[in-house]
Structures are given as C-alpha cells and as structure tokens.
Amino acid sequence: MSDFRGLIVAVSGPSGVGKGTVLARVEELLEQANPGSVGHSISVTTRAPRGQEQDGVEYYFRTREQFEQMIKDDEIVEYDTYVDNYYGTPAEPLRKMVMKGQDVLFDITIEGSLALNRKFDVDTVTIFILPPSMEELEMRLRGRGTETEEKIQKRLTQAKEEIGRAGEFEYLVTNGDIDTAAREIVAIITAEKLKASKNIDTAKALL
Ligand code: 5GP
C-alpha cells in the first residue's frame, strides 16, 4: 500500500462511452501492481434495484426521505439527480479508505466529479472520457440493442451537452481502445501522486 494518502479518481463521460469497462481495467492494472490498493465506494440511490442487484452490494437502496435525511445529517459528500433519482457518495467510508492509502475509482455524474474535486482538492483528480467520434458513440449506444430510437436520440443530445463541459475536468482521455485508455488513466494517477504538493514532506525529511 502507498505511503501517501489515497487518491479519489472521479471519472465522468457520456452514456455509452465505456466508463465502466475502462474503470474495471484500471482497477485490474492497479491491483496487479499493488494488491489491496483500490477501495470501493458503494453509492446510495433512490432508484429501485435492477435484476439481481442487492442492497449494500451495487448500491445502498434508500427511500427519498431516507436520502434527504442523510443529506441533512451530512452523511453524503456529494450527490446528484440522474433520471429522477438521487445518487450520492457516503462520506465516512470514503474518508476511511483514503486515510488508509487506498485509491477510490468513481463512475459518477459530471456534477458529482466536480463536487468531489471542490471538497477534497489535493486528494482528487477529475477525468472525462471522450468517445473517439460521435458516430462511434452512436454505434455503441445502438449496439446495446435495448433502447428505443427516441431514447437513443435523447442520450445523444445529452452526450453532446456533457462533452461541451469536458473543459471543466483536469484530464481528458479518449476511449478508442479500452487498454490504452486504462493505461492512460493509470499514468494520470501515477503523476497525481508524484505532485510536489502531495509529497513536500518527503523533501523536507531529507533536510
Ligand atoms: P445507474 O442507475 O445506471 O446505476 O447509474 C446512473 C448514473 O449514476 C451513472 O451514470 C453513474 O455515473 C451515476 N452515479 C452512480 N453513483 C453515483 C454517486 O454516488 N454520485 C453521483 N453523482 N453519480 C452517481
């Protein structure tokens, strides 16, 4: 495990860009290099479980009232709404993982990534994943084969709006090839950890 505090890696990008797949590969690479170095944040949501999803595994499933109470009690570090439901990050588990030196990878909304960055500053890096082209994004969205034409058009419009906000992130990674994108994200994480602002004590200790 790292000597330094862990890093919050906040990743956003349009629906269909492959965030989940890329992040799973990033985790594999980080774990290969340093077993136990990646922590998992389980979000709280008001949406209903899908399929085999279980409370406390994919998400903590809560009612709107419960979620709003958690906000009031300051138990949530960031939250956002997505398709009429709340999604948020519980504060205490995240703090513990970062203090233990674990890196925590997040696939969250744009507002979620930017809020984490405002809150934790030096401990967070924000990355936006771009598709190689809009045509490719459309193909990936259609490839899922589960959505109506109207929904696909809605997602494409939303994707354009989101890509318009890419400049609010610290890094942009294009997901043309999963392994390349994942390695680029690992490189970003490595560079962030070597920042002077995170390591100045190492230099001071030498004097
Ligand atoms: P889904 O309902 O498909 O599981 O997730 C919908 C969206 O919610 C995903 O795009 C994901 O990025 C976002 N999301 C999941 N957990 C959180 C969270 O804790 N905070 C925020 N801001 N967004 C989240």
Side-chain angles (χ1 to χ4, degrees):
M1 214 173 283
S2 152
D3 291 337
F4 311 118
R5 283 169 61 154
L7 193 67
I8 295 167
V9 184
V11 179
S12 301
S15 173
V17 82
K19 280 167 293 179
T21 322
V22 172
L23 283 182
R25 181 74 185 124
V26 171
E27 175 167 351
E28 226 173 71
L29 292 169
L30 292 175
E31 283 285 330
Q32 269 168 17
N34 198 354
S37 64
V38 179
H40 288 276
S41 171
I42 302 172
S43 298
V44 188
T45 183
T46 59
R47 84 151 162 77
R50 283 186 205 130
Q52 300 297 308
E53 286 181 341
Q54 283 177 8
D55 184 50
V57 181
E58 287 82 7
Y59 285 103
Y60 294 110
F61 297 99
R62 296 291 181 265
T63 62
R64 283 191 94 79
E65 292 70 32
Q66 288 171 325
F67 196 101
E68 283 163 4
Q69 191 59 47
M70 289 179 83
I71 299 170
K72 277 189 202 143
D73 294 343
D74 232 8
E75 290 175 20
I76 304 265
V77 280
E78 66 72 33
Y79 69 94
D80 198 0
T81 49
Y82 181 87
V83 203
D84 300 331
N85 279 300
Y86 281 125
Y87 292 82
T89 304
E92 195 50 25
L94 176 60
R95 200 188 62 79
K96 283 196 177 138
M97 288 185 284
V98 173
M99 293 309 288
K100 265 203 300 195
Q102 287 184 309
D103 299 322
V104 190
L105 311 177
F106 285 91
D107 161 4
I108 55 176
T109 61
I110 292 183
E111 289 307 333
S113 282
L114 301 176
L116 283 179
N117 205 23
R118 279 194 299 272
K119 246 187 178 148
F120 295 103
D121 191 20
V122 294
D123 296 323
T124 305
V125 58
T126 58
I127 303 172
F128 191 88
I129 303 195
L130 296 166
S133 68
M134 291 313 287
E135 291 72 27
E136 176 66 25
L137 184 70
E138 185 169 346
M139 253 168 54
R140 290 181 193 172
L141 283 172
R142 288 188 190 283
R144 291 177 172 178
T146 52
E147 314 241 302
T148 60
E149 181 60 28
E150 190 195 340
K151 275 208 171 148
I152 289 171
Q153 290 308 327
K154 226 170 136 179
R155 283 188 191 273
L156 278 172
T157 308
Q158 196 184 338
K160 282 181 192 154
E161 277 170 28
E162 290 181 354
I163 292 168
R165 297 188 62 186
E168 294 176 53
F169 284 71
E170 293 166 294
Y171 293 92
L172 302 180
V173 168
T174 296
N175 181 23
D177 167 74
I178 292 160
D179 208 53
T180 306
R183 285 178 193 283
E184 286 174 354
I185 292 177
V186 171
I188 292 166
I189 294 171
T190 307
E192 281 295 312
K193 291 187 166 199
L194 297 175
K195 270 190 172 167
S197 55
K198 285 204 98 188
N199 296 295
I200 198 67
D201 289 347
T202 314
K204 282 182 184 158
L206 294 172
L207 300 176

